[in-house]
Amino acid sequence: MHKEVDFLVIGSGIAGLTYALKVAEEGKVMIITKASADESNTKYAQGGIAGVMNAPDTFEKHIQDTLECGDGLCNKRIVRMVVKEGVERIKEIIQWGADFDKNEKGDYDLAREGGHSEHRVLHHKDNTGNEIERALLSKVRNHPNIEMYTHYFAIDIITQHHLGEEVTRHTPGIECYGVYVLNTRTGKIETVLSRITLIATGGAGQVYRTTTNPLIATGDGIAMVYRAKGIVENMEFVQFHPTALYNPGAHPSFLISEAVRGFGGILKTKDGKEFMQNYDARKSLAPRDITARAIDNEMKMSGDDYVYLDCTHLDAKALTEHFPTIYAKCKSIGIDMTKQMIPVVPAAHYICGGIKVDEFARANINNLYAAGECSCTGLHGANRLASNSLLEALVFAHRAAEEGKRKFASITYKLEVPEWNAEGTTHPKELVLITHNLKELQDVMSNYVGIVRSNVRLKRAKDRLRILYGETEAIYEKTILSPKLCELRNLINVAYLIVKQAIARKKNVGLHYNTDNVKNE
Ligand code: FAD
Ligand code: SIN
């Protein structure tokens, strides 16, 4: 028995939820999400959402900052489009109930982050994502046309391949008919046929040992689309956030928002010396690629495990009012950030690459769209400007919805799609092998494909990934599927794409830095 739905949305972060609310004006929507409804990268966003709200800021300045940060690889047309349309989209979620902080005059209290020439980041204290997710979920839950299936894990996109046809990356007219989904409560794999499918599965930070991303960030959508022969690009541009809290044993790592540096926090070495002036005129507020590399370099030179973020010179009351979540987290591990410096390290944070889409969020597979962190739109180029990703998700979810509403009624369900075939599979004897492979994968990527790469390191990573791939595929073919196994398989796929595309990138640009390459000039 299969399910049929006009719009299938995979993921319940900012991209999936805003899209669902819009297409639900016209058709029936099913959201599937692999954990609880709110678990997502969105929920943990701290700094906020960038938007040009008033003078002295201008569209041109935001455009220029985005282009400069992207180091020459942004699509200028897309940058202009997102910056201009983004403001309307921000106003829309405010109307839907998202609450952003204001100052005494009643204007939005705009924060500043690395790479921004103006204060332009709307925020809700230091837990903006949680506030956005709350507002969107409450609207989605009350919508009669939207059904949310939590703990449903999307396994594979259904295409002609599942009807027995040969599909290669060069096959013209690949079509998406829906998705096979694991109902993790029953263990059964269900078939969902859809007229239109949106992939909104977020990022892939879990491919690294140290990451700010929650456990759900396993690159599932990117891997699914790649397996279905879709185009995935720019995966070498992995953004490491310069300041995750140094707290050995904690996974994921807790983020110390860049807005803290925007508020006056200063990076220092363990012996209390400022160092960012040696790397960039913008010092602690340089773009992330430069700042993370500078910290990496300082740590390598000193042999220290972390550097410090110093806020002790700032007004203590204002600091704790602006950053209550960060203050409480630091306090919980014995650090009073108003009196002591915070130990910080870079951590994998955001994947700039992903499923290649056009300006309407269309993938190269018919009836398949992608929005949010899993997509590659051309906005970020080689390095994302801080707080531009929530903005990008809103703009592309909206555009995908407009396009979907125009098209869905003319698309028919593919009733010939067969049910999932689990014949011959059994429960794994040693689940621990999956855990071992995941740890090994995270070690390989952290050791060899981190902030600074080299040809030898990339080759080592490639060779080791081949072994992990072979072992994991052998388990996959014989085993009753579980989310852990599917996630491991997806992470290996994502890691392979990062390494392959890093090897192919022969010039250093933005986040990609290989000591054997030359700078892109
Ligand atoms: P997500 O919000 O990650 O949602 C993905 C959804 O897909 C989840 O519901 C997940 O469970 C579901 N899913 C995944 N795989 C499957 C599957 N196989 N089957 C079913 N469901 C699946 N950006 C900013 O612009 N400003 C910020 O201040 C900011 N701060 C950040 C702070 C942190 C700690 C982190 C981690 C990120 C931050 N970012 C920030 C980045 C930003 O939060 C994300 O890029 C953005 O929220 C991604 O939204 P999304 O909707 O694409 O994906
Ligand atoms: C932060 O608050 O530093 C994260 C902002 C972002 O990733 O855009």
Coordinates of all heavy atoms in Angstrom, one line a residue, residues 73 201-208 217-226 230-240 348-356 372-377 380-383 445 449-450 453 458 465 490-505 509 511-513:
L73 N 33.3 33.3 -6.3 CA 32.6 32.2 -6.9 C 31.1 32.3 -6.7 O 30.3 31.4 -7.0 CB 33.1 30.9 -6.3 CG 34.5 30.5 -6.7 CD1 34.7 29.0 -6.3 CD2 34.8 30.7 -8.2
T201 N 16.6 18.7 3.7 CA 17.2 17.8 4.8 C 18.4 18.5 5.5 O 19.0 17.8 6.3 CB 17.6 16.5 4.1 OG1 18.3 16.8 2.9 CG2 16.4 15.6 3.8
G202 N 18.8 19.7 5.1 CA 19.8 20.4 5.9 C 21.2 19.9 5.6 O 21.5 19.4 4.5
G203 N 22.1 20.1 6.6 CA 23.5 20.0 6.4 C 24.1 18.6 6.7 O 23.4 17.6 6.7
A204 N 25.5 18.6 6.8 CA 26.2 17.3 6.9 C 27.4 17.4 7.9 O 28.3 16.7 7.7 CB 26.7 16.9 5.5
G205 N 27.2 18.2 8.9 CA 28.4 18.5 9.8 C 28.8 17.2 10.5 O 30.0 17.1 10.9
Q206 N 28.0 16.2 10.6 CA 28.4 14.9 11.2 C 29.4 14.1 10.5 O 29.9 13.1 11.0 CB 27.1 14.1 11.5 CG 26.2 14.6 12.6 CD 26.8 14.7 14.0 OE1 27.6 13.8 14.3 NE2 26.5 15.7 14.7
V207 N 29.8 14.6 9.4 CA 30.9 14.0 8.6 C 32.2 14.2 9.3 O 33.2 13.5 9.1 CB 30.9 14.4 7.1 CG1 31.6 15.7 6.9 CG2 31.4 13.3 6.2
Y208 N 32.2 15.2 10.2 CA 33.5 15.6 11.0 C 33.3 15.2 12.5 O 32.2 15.2 13.0 CB 33.8 17.0 10.9 CG 34.3 17.4 9.5 CD1 33.4 17.8 8.5 CD2 35.6 17.2 9.2 CE1 33.9 18.1 7.2 CE2 36.1 17.5 7.9 CZ 35.2 17.9 6.9 OH 35.7 18.2 5.7
A217 N 22.3 16.0 11.2 CA 23.0 16.6 10.1 C 23.9 15.6 9.4 O 25.1 15.7 9.5 CB 23.7 17.9 10.5
T218 N 23.3 14.7 8.7 CA 24.1 13.6 8.0 C 24.0 13.6 6.5 O 24.3 12.6 5.9 CB 23.6 12.2 8.6 OG1 22.2 12.1 8.4 CG2 24.0 12.0 10.1
G219 N 23.6 14.7 5.9 CA 23.7 14.9 4.5 C 22.8 13.9 3.7 O 23.1 13.6 2.5
D220 N 21.7 13.4 4.3 CA 20.9 12.4 3.7 C 20.4 12.9 2.3 O 20.4 12.1 1.3 CB 19.7 12.1 4.6 CG 20.1 11.5 5.9 OD1 21.3 11.1 6.1 OD2 19.2 11.4 6.8
G221 N 19.9 14.1 2.3 CA 19.2 14.6 1.0 C 20.3 14.7 -0.1 O 20.0 14.3 -1.3
I222 N 21.5 15.1 0.2 CA 22.5 15.3 -0.8 C 22.9 13.9 -1.3 O 23.0 13.7 -2.5 CB 23.8 16.0 -0.1 CG1 23.4 17.4 0.3 CG2 24.9 16.0 -1.1 CD1 24.5 18.1 1.1
A223 N 23.0 13.0 -0.4 CA 23.4 11.6 -0.8 C 22.3 11.0 -1.6 O 22.6 10.3 -2.7 CB 23.7 10.7 0.4
M224 N 21.1 11.2 -1.2 CA 19.9 10.6 -2.0 C 19.9 11.1 -3.4 O 19.7 10.3 -4.4 CB 18.6 10.9 -1.3 CG 18.3 10.1 -0.1 SD 16.6 10.3 0.4 CE 16.6 11.8 1.2
V225 N 20.1 12.4 -3.5 CA 20.0 13.0 -4.9 C 21.2 12.5 -5.7 O 21.1 12.2 -6.9 CB 20.0 14.5 -4.8 CG1 20.2 15.2 -6.2 CG2 18.6 15.0 -4.2
Y226 N 22.4 12.4 -5.1 CA 23.5 11.9 -5.8 C 23.3 10.5 -6.3 O 23.6 10.2 -7.5 CB 24.8 12.0 -5.0 CG 26.0 11.8 -5.8 CD1 26.5 12.7 -6.7 CD2 26.8 10.6 -5.7 CE1 27.6 12.5 -7.5 CE2 27.9 10.4 -6.4 CZ 28.3 11.3 -7.3 OH 29.4 11.1 -8.1
G230 N 21.5 12.9 -9.6 CA 21.4 14.3 -9.6 C 22.7 15.0 -9.5 O 23.7 14.3 -9.2
I231 N 22.8 16.3 -9.8 CA 24.1 17.0 -9.7 C 24.3 17.6 -8.3 O 23.4 18.3 -7.8 CB 24.1 18.1 -10.8 CG1 24.0 17.5 -12.2 CG2 25.4 18.9 -10.7 CD1 23.9 18.5 -13.3
V232 N 25.5 17.3 -7.8 CA 25.9 17.9 -6.5 C 27.2 18.6 -6.7 O 28.1 18.1 -7.3 CB 26.0 16.7 -5.5 CG1 26.7 17.3 -4.2 CG2 24.7 16.1 -5.2
E233 N 27.3 19.9 -6.2 CA 28.5 20.6 -6.5 C 29.0 21.4 -5.3 O 28.3 21.6 -4.3 CB 28.3 21.6 -7.7 CG 27.3 22.6 -7.5 CD 27.1 23.6 -8.6 OE1 27.6 23.3 -9.8 OE2 26.5 24.6 -8.4
N234 N 30.2 21.9 -5.4 CA 30.8 22.8 -4.4 C 31.0 22.2 -3.0 O 31.1 22.9 -2.0 CB 30.1 24.1 -4.3 CG 30.3 25.1 -5.4 OD1 31.0 24.7 -6.4 ND2 29.9 26.3 -5.3
M235 N 31.1 20.9 -3.0 CA 31.1 20.2 -1.7 C 32.5 20.4 -1.0 O 32.6 20.2 0.2 CB 30.9 18.7 -1.9 CG 29.5 18.4 -2.3 SD 28.3 18.8 -1.1 CE 28.5 17.4 0.0
E236 N 33.5 20.9 -1.7 CA 34.8 21.1 -1.0 C 34.7 22.3 -0.1 O 35.6 22.5 0.7 CB 35.9 21.3 -2.1 CG 35.8 22.5 -3.0 CD 34.9 22.4 -4.2 OE1 33.9 21.6 -4.1 OE2 35.2 22.9 -5.3
F237 N 33.7 23.1 -0.2 CA 33.6 24.3 0.6 C 32.9 24.1 1.9 O 31.7 24.4 2.0 CB 33.0 25.5 -0.2 CG 33.7 25.8 -1.5 CD1 33.1 25.8 -2.7 CD2 35.1 26.2 -1.4 CE1 33.9 26.1 -3.9 CE2 35.8 26.5 -2.6 CZ 35.2 26.4 -3.8
V238 N 33.6 23.4 2.8 CA 33.1 23.2 4.1 C 33.4 24.3 5.0 O 34.6 24.6 5.2 CB 33.7 21.9 4.7 CG1 33.1 21.6 6.1 CG2 33.4 20.7 3.8
Q239 N 32.4 24.9 5.6 CA 32.7 26.1 6.5 C 32.9 25.6 7.9 O 32.1 25.0 8.5 CB 31.5 27.1 6.4 CG 31.8 28.4 7.2 CD 30.8 29.4 6.9 OE1 29.7 29.3 7.4 NE2 31.2 30.5 6.2
F240 N 34.1 26.0 8.4 CA 34.4 25.7 9.8 C 34.1 27.0 10.6 O 34.6 28.1 10.2 CB 35.9 25.3 10.0 CG 36.1 23.9 9.5 CD1 36.3 23.6 8.2 CD2 36.2 22.8 10.4 CE1 36.5 22.3 7.7 CE2 36.3 21.5 9.9 CZ 36.5 21.3 8.6
A348 N 33.4 22.1 12.3 CA 32.6 22.0 11.0 C 31.2 22.6 11.3 O 30.6 22.2 12.3 CB 32.6 20.6 10.5
H349 N 30.7 23.4 10.4 CA 29.5 24.2 10.8 C 28.5 24.2 9.6 O 27.3 24.1 9.9 CB 30.0 25.6 11.1 CG 28.9 26.5 11.5 ND1 28.1 26.3 12.6 CD2 28.4 27.7 10.9 CE1 27.2 27.3 12.8 NE2 27.3 28.1 11.7
Y350 N 29.0 24.3 8.4 CA 28.0 24.6 7.3 C 28.6 24.0 6.0 O 29.8 24.2 5.7 CB 27.8 26.1 7.2 CG 26.7 26.4 6.1 CD1 25.4 26.4 6.5 CD2 27.1 26.7 4.8 CE1 24.4 26.7 5.5 CE2 26.1 27.0 3.9 CZ 24.8 27.0 4.2 OH 23.8 27.3 3.3
I351 N 27.8 23.4 5.2 CA 28.3 23.0 3.9 C 27.7 23.9 2.8 O 26.5 24.1 2.6 CB 27.9 21.5 3.6 CG1 28.5 20.9 2.3 CG2 26.4 21.2 3.7 CD1 29.7 20.2 2.5
C352 N 28.7 24.6 2.2 CA 28.3 25.6 1.2 C 27.8 24.9 -0.1 O 27.0 25.5 -0.9 CB 29.4 26.5 0.8 SG 29.9 27.6 2.2
G353 N 28.3 23.7 -0.4 CA 27.8 23.0 -1.6 C 26.6 22.2 -1.3 O 26.0 22.3 -0.2
G354 N 26.2 21.5 -2.3 CA 25.0 20.6 -2.2 C 24.3 20.3 -3.5 O 25.0 20.4 -4.6
I355 N 23.0 20.1 -3.4 CA 22.2 19.8 -4.6 C 22.1 21.0 -5.5 O 21.6 22.0 -5.1 CB 20.8 19.3 -4.2 CG1 20.9 18.1 -3.3 CG2 20.0 19.0 -5.5 CD1 19.7 17.9 -2.4
K356 N 22.6 20.9 -6.7 CA 22.6 22.1 -7.6 C 21.2 22.4 -8.0 O 20.5 21.5 -8.5 CB 23.5 21.8 -8.9 CG 23.6 22.9 -9.8 CD 24.5 22.5 -11.0 CE 24.3 23.3 -12.2 NZ 24.9 24.6 -12.2
G372 N 17.4 25.3 1.2 CA 18.1 25.3 2.5 C 19.5 24.8 2.3 O 20.1 24.7 1.3
E373 N 20.0 24.3 3.5 CA 21.5 24.0 3.5 C 21.8 22.8 2.6 O 23.0 22.7 2.1 CB 21.9 23.6 4.9 CG 23.4 23.5 5.1 CD 23.8 23.5 6.5 OE1 23.1 24.0 7.4 OE2 25.0 23.1 6.8
C374 N 20.9 21.9 2.2 CA 21.2 20.8 1.4 C 21.4 21.2 -0.1 O 21.9 20.5 -0.9 CB 20.1 19.7 1.4 SG 18.6 20.3 0.8
S375 N 21.1 22.5 -0.4 CA 21.1 22.9 -1.8 C 22.3 23.8 -2.1 O 23.0 24.3 -1.2 CB 19.9 23.7 -2.1 OG 19.9 25.0 -1.4
C376 N 22.7 23.9 -3.4 CA 23.7 24.8 -3.8 C 23.1 25.8 -4.8 O 22.8 25.4 -5.9 CB 24.9 24.0 -4.4 SG 26.3 25.1 -4.8
T377 N 22.9 27.0 -4.4 CA 22.1 27.9 -5.2 C 23.0 28.9 -6.0 O 22.5 29.6 -6.9 CB 21.2 28.8 -4.3 OG1 22.0 29.6 -3.4 CG2 20.3 27.9 -3.4
H380 N 26.4 31.4 -1.9 CA 27.5 31.5 -1.0 C 28.9 31.4 -1.7 O 29.9 31.8 -1.1 CB 27.5 30.3 0.0 CG 26.2 30.2 0.7 ND1 25.6 31.3 1.3 CD2 25.3 29.1 0.9 CE1 24.4 30.9 1.8 NE2 24.3 29.6 1.6
G381 N 28.9 30.9 -3.0 CA 30.2 30.8 -3.6 C 31.2 29.9 -2.8 O 30.8 28.8 -2.4
A382 N 32.4 30.4 -2.6 CA 33.4 29.6 -1.9 C 33.4 29.8 -0.4 O 34.2 29.1 0.3 CB 34.8 30.0 -2.4
N383 N 32.5 30.7 0.1 CA 32.4 30.9 1.6 C 31.2 31.7 1.9 O 31.0 32.8 1.4 CB 33.7 31.7 2.0 CG 33.7 32.0 3.5 OD1 33.2 31.2 4.3 ND2 34.2 33.1 3.9
M445 N 38.0 12.2 8.0 CA 37.7 13.6 7.4 C 38.3 14.7 8.3 O 38.8 15.7 7.7 CB 36.2 13.7 7.4 CG 35.5 12.8 6.4 SD 36.1 13.1 4.7 CE 35.4 14.6 4.2
V449 N 40.9 16.1 5.8 CA 40.1 17.0 4.9 C 39.5 18.2 5.8 O 38.4 18.6 5.6 CB 39.0 16.2 4.2 CG1 38.6 17.0 2.9 CG2 39.4 14.8 3.8
G450 N 40.4 18.7 6.6 CA 39.9 19.8 7.5 C 40.1 21.2 6.9 O 40.0 21.4 5.7
R453 N 44.3 21.5 3.9 CA 44.5 20.2 3.2 C 45.8 20.1 2.4 O 46.4 21.1 2.2 CB 43.3 20.1 2.2 CG 42.0 20.2 2.9 CD 40.8 20.6 2.0 NE 39.6 20.8 2.8 CZ 38.4 21.1 2.4 NH1 38.3 21.3 1.1 NH2 37.4 21.1 3.1
L458 N 44.6 14.4 1.1 CA 43.4 14.1 0.3 C 43.4 12.7 -0.3 O 42.4 12.0 -0.3 CB 43.2 15.1 -0.8 CG 42.8 16.5 -0.3 CD1 42.8 17.5 -1.5 CD2 41.5 16.5 0.4
L465 N 38.4 6.0 2.4 CA 37.0 6.1 2.2 C 36.5 4.9 1.3 O 35.5 4.3 1.5 CB 36.6 7.4 1.5 CG 36.5 8.6 2.3 CD1 36.1 9.8 1.5 CD2 35.5 8.4 3.5
N490 N 25.1 7.5 3.9 CA 25.0 8.8 3.3 C 26.2 9.7 3.7 O 26.7 10.4 2.8 CB 23.7 9.5 3.9 CG 22.4 8.8 3.3 OD1 22.4 8.3 2.3 ND2 21.3 8.9 4.1
L491 N 26.7 9.5 4.9 CA 27.9 10.3 5.3 C 29.1 9.9 4.5 O 29.9 10.8 4.1 CB 28.2 10.1 6.8 CG 27.2 10.9 7.7 CD1 27.4 10.4 9.2 CD2 27.5 12.4 7.6
I492 N 29.2 8.6 4.2 CA 30.3 8.2 3.4 C 30.2 8.8 1.9 O 31.2 9.2 1.4 CB 30.4 6.6 3.3 CG1 30.8 6.1 4.7 CG2 31.4 6.1 2.2 CD1 30.8 4.6 4.9
N493 N 29.0 8.8 1.5 CA 28.7 9.4 0.1 C 29.1 10.9 0.1 O 29.8 11.4 -0.8 CB 27.2 9.2 -0.1 CG 26.9 9.3 -1.6 OD1 27.5 10.1 -2.3 ND2 25.9 8.6 -2.1
V494 N 28.7 11.6 1.2 CA 29.0 13.0 1.3 C 30.5 13.2 1.4 O 31.1 14.1 0.7 CB 28.3 13.6 2.5 CG1 28.8 15.0 2.9 CG2 26.8 13.7 2.2
A495 N 31.2 12.4 2.2 CA 32.6 12.5 2.4 C 33.3 12.3 1.0 O 34.3 13.0 0.7 CB 33.1 11.5 3.4
Y496 N 32.9 11.3 0.3 CA 33.4 11.0 -1.0 C 33.3 12.2 -1.9 O 34.3 12.6 -2.6 CB 32.7 9.8 -1.6 CG 32.9 9.7 -3.1 CD1 34.0 9.1 -3.7 CD2 31.8 10.1 -4.0 CE1 34.2 9.0 -5.0 CE2 32.0 10.0 -5.3 CZ 33.2 9.4 -5.9 OH 33.3 9.3 -7.2
L497 N 32.2 12.9 -1.9 CA 32.0 14.1 -2.7 C 32.9 15.2 -2.3 O 33.4 16.0 -3.1 CB 30.5 14.5 -2.7 CG 29.6 13.6 -3.5 CD1 28.1 13.9 -3.1 CD2 29.8 13.7 -5.0
I498 N 33.0 15.4 -1.0 CA 33.9 16.5 -0.5 C 35.3 16.2 -1.0 O 36.0 17.1 -1.5 CB 33.9 16.6 1.1 CG1 32.5 17.0 1.6 CG2 34.9 17.6 1.6 CD1 32.3 16.9 3.1
V499 N 35.8 15.0 -0.8 CA 37.2 14.7 -1.1 C 37.4 14.8 -2.7 O 38.3 15.4 -3.1 CB 37.5 13.2 -0.6 CG1 38.9 12.8 -1.2 CG2 37.6 13.2 0.9
K500 N 36.5 14.2 -3.4 CA 36.6 14.2 -4.9 C 36.6 15.6 -5.4 O 37.5 16.0 -6.2 CB 35.4 13.5 -5.5 CG 35.4 13.3 -7.0 CD 34.2 12.5 -7.4 CE 33.9 12.9 -8.9 NZ 32.6 12.5 -9.3
Q501 N 35.7 16.5 -4.9 CA 35.7 17.9 -5.4 C 36.8 18.7 -4.9 O 37.3 19.6 -5.5 CB 34.3 18.4 -5.1 CG 33.2 17.6 -5.9 CD 31.8 18.1 -5.8 OE1 31.5 19.1 -5.2 NE2 30.9 17.3 -6.3
A502 N 37.3 18.3 -3.7 CA 38.5 19.0 -3.1 C 39.8 18.7 -4.0 O 40.6 19.6 -4.3 CB 38.8 18.6 -1.7
I503 N 39.9 17.4 -4.4 CA 41.0 17.0 -5.3 C 40.9 17.8 -6.6 O 41.9 18.2 -7.2 CB 41.0 15.5 -5.4 CG1 41.4 14.8 -4.1 CG2 42.0 15.1 -6.6 CD1 41.3 13.3 -4.1
A504 N 39.7 17.9 -7.1 CA 39.5 18.6 -8.4 C 39.8 20.1 -8.4 O 40.1 20.7 -9.4 CB 38.1 18.3 -8.9
R505 N 39.7 20.7 -7.2 CA 39.9 22.1 -7.1 C 41.3 22.5 -7.0 O 42.0 22.3 -5.9 CB 39.1 22.6 -5.9 CG 39.2 24.1 -5.6 CD 38.4 25.0 -6.4 NE 37.0 24.8 -6.4 CZ 36.1 25.4 -7.2 NH1 36.6 26.3 -8.1 NH2 34.9 25.1 -7.2
V509 N 40.7 28.8 -2.9 CA 39.7 29.9 -3.0 C 38.7 29.7 -1.8 O 38.4 28.6 -1.5 CB 39.0 29.9 -4.3 CG1 38.4 28.5 -4.7 CG2 37.9 30.9 -4.4
L511 N 36.9 28.8 1.3 CA 37.1 27.8 2.3 C 38.1 26.6 1.9 O 38.5 25.8 2.7 CB 35.8 27.2 2.7 CG 34.8 28.2 3.4 CD1 33.4 27.7 3.2 CD2 35.2 28.4 4.8
H512 N 38.4 26.5 0.6 CA 39.2 25.4 0.2 C 40.7 25.9 0.2 O 41.1 26.8 -0.6 CB 38.8 25.0 -1.2 CG 39.7 23.9 -1.7 ND1 39.8 22.7 -1.1 CD2 40.6 23.9 -2.8 CE1 40.7 21.9 -1.8 NE2 41.2 22.6 -2.8
Y513 N 41.5 25.2 1.1 CA 42.9 25.6 1.2 C 43.8 24.4 1.2 O 43.7 23.6 2.1 CB 43.1 26.4 2.5 CG 44.5 27.1 2.5 CD1 44.7 28.3 1.9 CD2 45.5 26.4 3.1 CE1 46.0 28.9 1.9 CE2 46.8 27.0 3.1 CZ 47.0 28.2 2.5 OH 48.2 28.8 2.6

